[in-house]
Amino acid sequence: MSEQGKGSASASAAAAPAPAAGSDTYKGWLFKWTNYLKGYQRRWFVLSNGLLSYYRTQAEMAHTCRGTINLATAHIDTEDACNIVLSSGGRTYHLKASTEVERQRWVTALELAKAKAIRMMNDQSDDSGDEEPTSQSDRSELQGTLKILVSKLDDLSTCNDLIAKHGAALQRSLSELEGLKVPVEGGEKIKAVNERATLFRITSNAMINACRDFLDLAETHSRRWQRALQYEREQRTHLEETIEQLAKQHNSLERAWREAPTLVSSAPSAPTTNKGSVRPLKGEASDEDEDTEYFDAMEDSPAFITVTATENTQHRRSQSNLSGASGGHPGDWNQDDHMSPGCNDVSGKELQPRRQRRTHIPDKPNYSLNLWSIMKNCIGKELSKIPMPVNFNEPLSMLQRLTEDLEYHELLDKAARCDSSLEQMCLVAAFSVSSYSTTVHRTAKPFNPLLGETYELDRLEEFGYRSLCEQVSHHPPAAAHHVISKQGWTLWQEITIASKFRGKYLSIMPLGAIHLQFHSSGNHYIWRKVTSTVHNIIVGKLWIDQSGDIEIVNHRTKETCQLKFSPYSYFSRDVPRKVTGVVADNEGHAHYILSGTWDEKMESAKIIQSSRGASGSEGRQKTVYQTLSPKLLWKKYPLPENAENMYHFSGLALTLNEQEDGVGLTDSRLRPDQRLMEDGRWDEANSEKQRLEEKQRAVRRRREAEATDAVVEECDYDSGREYEGYQPLWFHQRRDSVTGETNFVYKGGYWEAKERQDWSMCPNIF
């Protein structure tokens, strides 16, 4: 943060009125973290009635609130001398004050406001004079219910008195009978009847006491229930008012945008420095981008303007998204006027004719099962540790889903023939986006692979590549993947899936780097996947969104590509599932603009000139890029016919579980529960899945016992045997020379074993 920025923030904060005695309002300037591209930005914060709201400027208080956080449920933390962290639910604000004194003032005000908000929520006072008129009907209804309960309790008390009266008379009669001279057998029976009468009276008294306790408890908590109901109604009203206000602002902004003669701006990522770090552009985020405030990290995306150059050098307006792409039809995505001739050269790469593979699987049975009934007890747990029936699965394993990244391997074949590393970067970026295209309708969960499970995809004769995956760890679940192509490239990765169920949505976070190396040039690309989110877990139709940033780095040339996956927002004017990006050289100079959606297509536009445009509302200039017409890099294949009844599988996914001869004994195709599910025999699949999981647990317990014995022997003897634990068959751990991370890489031997058909080393996991 610059000294000038600090000074202005300090002056503004000092000028803000301090809270008066008895006042619940506190206002002032703070710096708010937006994203890695723009860092901290100055915002006007208002603390009032237990709510902390912020605005871009003080003038916006009259019409546009950028975000609000409820302090009653918020956690307040301080990181260092000037930082404040507020978190509530899934939202987190990282704030910074200009001085430590100012930070302490804000912390004090926030803590007092939080304490008051909590007191208001938990107040159980009988004083109801300050309640809203809207709760009168609720109070009347509650009081009526309590009167009915009192009446019923009186009835029960009357019955209890009658039972006690008649019970006492019965006991007197029984006592008189006991005094008479009767046979021994008759006396025993009379005594038993007397004991049962006493037990009946005790039970009836206990029932009356329980009813009285219930009434007392209802009277004690009625006020709390009433206030909780009133609070929820106020929250609903506040939300309705906010939505109405946003809708009005949306309409006014849309009218202003249509009437404005200025160029249209968009919001891709910024170029980077030669060290791969982000270098923000001095641009101002558009109001349309600010409408997606509900996704805080996307708030202040840097903006630039793209101007498409035509043949007669006249400028045309162009957005860097699909809705505004200029320049006619892109044509076949295997041909691109911007690419060097080598990118389209296919000479010397003759392959065998494609083998006929299956194009359909049995239709998905129509079994109904309530996901919430199973997941409600699993909130906060790791998804891989939740026992799930196959009803929520698709008949593919996670290893096969990982292999689906190769659906558009032609992009890498084409990239391997590129002479320009920047053009190659565009194709690699398109490939990284294409791996998400199959997920848009795939809301079912793949099978968790068993430890040691493998999956091979041998397309050497058809497409020139071979792929192998192995589950190398079970907790945490981790899979290693290796692909080699005779088209001139090798791809490898180790992916660990971290997933959390949060009640309303499920977050899936793939951890680990993806490596891609081209043989001829030696270009070595590394990137990581974004977060996938499954929404509407509790109610509604499940849908998937991808959000976050991807940085692709060519570690040989230091060229970079910054990709941004914009999260979906109901209030955003952007194209849904939008992806934007910038390809820059090792000095941070932008050369290509990328745009598209992760479920449809990606385009690239070559930059021919860049300049500084007009200043924004805060005096900052936007970068104007003059580009050629966008060209198609990648387009999604249409789904097969009847895909909606076949788990929305793509053409490649339909073939992944097809039976093949000669595969390893641990291959996912041989997994019995997965095969039964694909055949529509779900009840048998559930039983088989339970058997396999129990077998895996037994193996793990045996392995843990062996580890314990090894430790005991090492303690008893100086030269005890060292227990290595589980070791994968086809992958071993090595430290990566580029990233410095230790991960599993292919050590060889699988394809040679397949050639010999020698699988004696494979464990019996099925």
Side-chain angles (χ1 to χ4, degrees):
M1 189 184 305
S2 66
E3 295 299 328
Q4 183 180 359
K6 289 184 179 180
S8 61
S10 177
S12 302
S23 173
D24 296 329
T25 302
Y26 191 79
K27 305 177 182 178
W29 290 102
L30 287 173
F31 288 88
K32 177 180 177 295
W33 175 262
T34 57
N35 51 49
Y36 285 101
L37 297 177
K38 301 206 71 174
Y40 284 93
Q41 296 294 313
R42 193 177 67 160
R43 295 291 180 261
W44 179 254
F45 281 81
V46 177
L47 174 61
S48 178
N49 296 325
L51 299 175
L52 180 67
S53 306
Y54 72 95
Y55 310 83
R56 174 174 282 185
T57 61
Q58 292 176 261
E60 279 192 346
M61 291 178 60
H63 56 83
T64 304
C65 177
R66 300 295 175 181
T68 301
I69 194 167
N70 189 349
L71 293 178
T73 58
H75 176 70
I76 304 173
D77 192 16
T78 54
E79 292 182 341
D80 53 31
C82 296
N83 282 39
I84 306 172
V85 180
L86 294 177
S87 57
S88 177
R91 174 174 296 189
T92 301
Y93 288 172
H94 294 269
L95 310 177
K96 180 179 289 188
S98 56
T99 63
E100 186 174 358
V101 173
E102 185 63 26
R103 194 280 303 269
Q104 190 57 46
R105 290 176 183 171
W106 273 103
V107 171
T108 302
L110 291 170
E111 294 287 1
L112 291 174
K114 177 181 178 179
K116 185 170 183 179
I118 294 176
R119 283 198 305 271
M120 291 177 62
M121 289 182 61
N122 299 331
D123 189 7
Q124 300 181 12
S125 171
D126 290 336
D127 182 14
S128 59
D130 58 342
E131 293 184 358
E132 296 292 333
T134 55
S135 63
Q136 293 293 336
S137 60
D138 298 310
R139 293 201 301 274
S140 300
E141 181 180 356
L142 187 59
Q143 290 170 358
T145 303
L146 291 174
K147 288 180 180 178
I148 294 173
L149 289 174
V150 171
S151 175
K152 297 297 181 183
L153 185 61
D154 291 338
D155 294 343
L156 289 172
S157 298
T158 302
C159 294
N160 182 62
D161 293 337
L162 292 174
I163 290 172
K165 178 181 178 181
H166 294 300
L170 178 61
Q171 283 185 333
R172 284 195 301 271
S173 299
L174 293 172
S175 298
E176 292 173 359
L177 286 174
E178 287 180 354
L180 298 177
K181 293 182 178 180
V182 295
V184 177
E185 184 179 355
E188 292 296 332
K189 290 185 177 180
I190 291 173
K191 185 180 294 184
V193 173
N194 193 7
E195 291 175 355
R196 291 181 180 178
T198 303
L199 181 62
F200 176 75
R201 186 180 62 179
I202 294 172
T203 304
S204 62
N205 287 334
M207 179 187 68
I208 294 298
N209 292 334
C211 292
R212 184 177 290 110
D213 292 339
F214 172 77
L215 179 61
D216 294 338
L217 186 64
E219 290 176 340
T220 301
H221 290 277
S222 62
R223 185 64 59 204
R224 183 174 185 177
W225 295 338
Q226 194 171 341
R227 288 185 180 276
L229 178 63
Q230 179 64 18
Y231 174 78
E232 294 297 332
R233 288 189 170 183
E234 291 174 353
Q235 291 292 97
R236 185 189 66 184
T237 302
H238 175 69
L239 180 60
E240 290 174 349
E241 292 173 352
T242 303
I243 293 176
E244 182 180 1
Q245 183 183 20
L246 287 172
K248 292 179 180 179
Q249 295 173 14
H250 180 82
N251 292 333
S252 62
L253 288 171
E254 188 173 11
R255 288 195 302 269
W257 178 77
R258 289 174 178 174
E259 296 170 0
T262 58
L263 295 175
V264 181
S265 64
S266 60
S269 304
T272 60
T273 65
N274 56 352
K275 294 184 179 180
S277 59
V278 177
R279 190 188 67 174
L281 291 171
K282 294 183 178 179
E284 174 190 86
S286 64
D287 291 338
E288 288 79 359
D289 292 330
E290 287 289 339
D291 280 346
T292 60
E293 183 57 39
Y294 300 98
F295 301 93
D296 184 71
M298 309 302 294
E299 177 196 357
D300 278 333
S301 304
F304 57 74
I305 300 172
T306 59
V307 181
T308 306
T310 61
E311 294 181 358
N312 56 3
T313 68
Q314 293 180 349
H315 291 176
R316 294 184 299 178
R317 291 185 295 173
S318 169
Q319 296 185 31
S320 62
N321 57 35
L322 291 180
S323 62
S326 63
H329 303 286
D332 183 5
W333 66 280
N334 283 321
Q335 297 177 358
D336 191 339
D337 294 340
H338 294 171
M339 297 298 175
S340 59
C343 291
N344 297 313
D345 180 17
V346 295
S347 60
K349 302 294 181 181
E350 296 297 331
L351 298 172
Q352 298 296 325
R354 296 188 182 183
R355 167 186 164 185
Q356 187 66 29
R357 299 188 181 275
R358 69 180 185 180
T359 57
H360 67 277
I361 59 175
D363 286 359
K364 176 182 179 182
N366 188 18
Y367 290 145
S368 60
L369 190 63
N370 186 4
L371 176 62
W372 178 241
S373 66
I374 296 175
M375 299 291 281
K376 64 183 179 182
N377 296 322
C378 304
I379 295 177
K381 295 182 180 178
E382 187 73 27
L383 181 64
S384 60
K385 298 181 181 179
I386 299 175
M388 299 281 284
V390 301
N391 303 56
F392 301 118
N393 285 39
E394 61 180 18
L396 290 177
S397 73
M398 180 58 74
L399 302 181
Q400 291 165 313
R401 282 290 291 267
L402 196 60
T403 307
E404 277 192 76
D405 288 357
L406 302 174
E407 176 100 26
Y408 299 94
H409 63 91
E410 298 97 336
L411 290 168
L412 300 185
D413 298 343
K414 186 177 180 181
R417 299 190 294 269
C418 280
D419 298 326
S420 168
S421 58
L422 291 171
E423 295 172 1
Q424 190 177 74
M425 175 71 82
C426 292
L427 291 167
V428 172
F431 174 78
S432 69
V433 174
S434 70
S435 63
Y436 299 97
S437 63
T438 61
T439 66
V440 62
H441 300 298
R442 302 271 290 279
T443 55
K445 174 182 176 291
F447 279 78
N448 289 331
L450 302 173
L451 184 62
E453 185 175 335
T454 60
Y455 181 74
E456 67 158 75
L457 188 67
D458 192 348
R459 296 290 189 267
L460 189 64
E461 295 183 356
E462 300 164 77
F463 302 117
Y465 70 84
R466 276 177 163 175
S467 168
L468 176 65
C469 292
E470 182 179 4
Q471 188 77 359
V472 296
S473 172
H474 188 62
H475 287 304
H481 186 202
H482 182 268
V483 190
I484 186 167
S485 172
K486 64 181 183 181
Q487 301 289 349
W489 54 269
T490 301
L491 182 145
W492 68 97
Q493 59 181 319
E494 179 194 337
I495 296 296
T496 300
I497 301 296
S499 52
K500 286 291 184 180
F501 175 57
R502 301 298 187 184
K504 294 182 180 180
Y505 62 91
L506 178 70
S507 294
I508 303 171
M509 297 149 286
L511 308 177
I514 303 173
H515 296 255
L516 172 65
Q517 189 166 27
F518 292 98
H519 303 163
S520 60
S521 63
N523 289 335
H524 185 178
Y525 297 88
I526 298 179
W527 70 93
R528 300 174 189 271
K529 290 181 175 287
V530 296
T531 298
S532 301
T533 307
V534 184
H535 295 271
N536 289 349
I537 294 293
I538 299 178
V539 65
K541 184 179 180 181
L542 294 176
W543 60 279
I544 291 181
D545 194 22
Q546 315 288 348
S547 59
D549 297 328
I550 292 180
E551 181 185 48
I552 306 175
V553 180
N554 183 344
H555 283 272
R556 189 184 73 84
T557 64
K558 306 304 179 184
E559 296 162 347
T560 60
C561 174
Q562 295 287 335
L563 290 173
K564 178 191 294 182
F565 288 66
S566 300
Y568 174 78
S569 172
Y570 177 80
F571 304 100
S572 175
R573 299 183 61 229
D574 281 337
V575 177
R577 309 179 186 97
K578 178 181 176 182
V579 180
T580 52
V582 174
V583 175
D585 59 23
N586 58 353
E587 296 181 354
H589 300 146
H591 288 263
Y592 287 92
I593 299 295
L594 305 181
S595 61
T597 59
W598 54 263
D599 68 325
E600 185 179 354
K601 60 181 178 180
M602 286 295 293
E603 296 176 330
S604 69
K606 184 176 178 60
I607 299 172
I608 58 177
Q609 185 178 354
S610 62
S611 60
R612 293 292 182 182
S615 299
S617 59
E618 295 185 3
R620 295 179 296 181
Q621 288 184 320
K622 299 180 181 179
T623 301
V624 178
Y625 290 131
Q626 184 178 356
T627 68
L628 299 176
S629 300
K631 298 297 179 180
L632 194 62
L633 290 173
W634 158 76
K635 186 175 183 180
K636 181 184 176 182
Y637 298 139
L639 290 177
E641 186 179 356
N642 195 36
E644 63 276 6
N645 294 322
M646 298 186 295
Y647 310 90
H648 290 96
F649 280 178
S650 64
L652 174 62
L654 287 174
T655 68
L656 292 179
N657 208 41
E658 186 177 8
Q659 292 279 18
E660 290 194 14
D661 297 330
V663 298
L665 301 181
T666 54
D667 197 271
S668 299
R669 298 177 181 89
L670 305 179
R671 182 166 174 165
D673 54 347
Q674 187 173 301
R675 181 65 59 187
L676 288 168
M677 183 192 177
E678 182 182 279
D679 294 339
R681 299 154 63 184
W682 285 16
D683 292 337
E684 298 174 61
N686 276 319
S687 300
E688 191 65 19
K689 182 173 183 287
Q690 187 174 359
R691 181 190 69 82
L692 289 173
E693 291 174 348
E694 184 55 39
K695 180 178 180 180
Q696 181 172 240
R697 294 187 192 101
V699 173
R700 186 182 71 245
R701 287 192 293 267
R702 185 170 65 250
R703 191 179 295 118
E704 290 173 350
E706 291 176 357
T708 303
D709 294 342
V711 172
V712 171
E713 289 183 15
E714 187 174 357
C715 294
D716 293 341
Y717 306 101
D718 293 337
S719 58
R721 62 186 176 92
E722 183 179 354
Y723 182 74
E724 294 184 354
Y726 176 78
Q727 296 296 325
L729 271 181
W730 313 112
F731 290 80
H732 56 182
Q733 281 190 317
R734 291 293 183 268
R735 181 175 296 277
D736 187 84
S737 59
V738 177
T739 64
E741 299 175 350
T742 300
N743 47 32
F744 284 92
V745 295
Y746 180 57
K747 64 181 180 181
Y750 180 87
W751 303 110
E752 292 78 5
K754 182 181 180 181
E755 193 74 24
R756 301 190 308 268
Q757 280 301 293
D758 177 15
W759 303 115
S760 58
M761 73 293 292
C762 293
N764 179 16
I765 62 174
F766 299 139

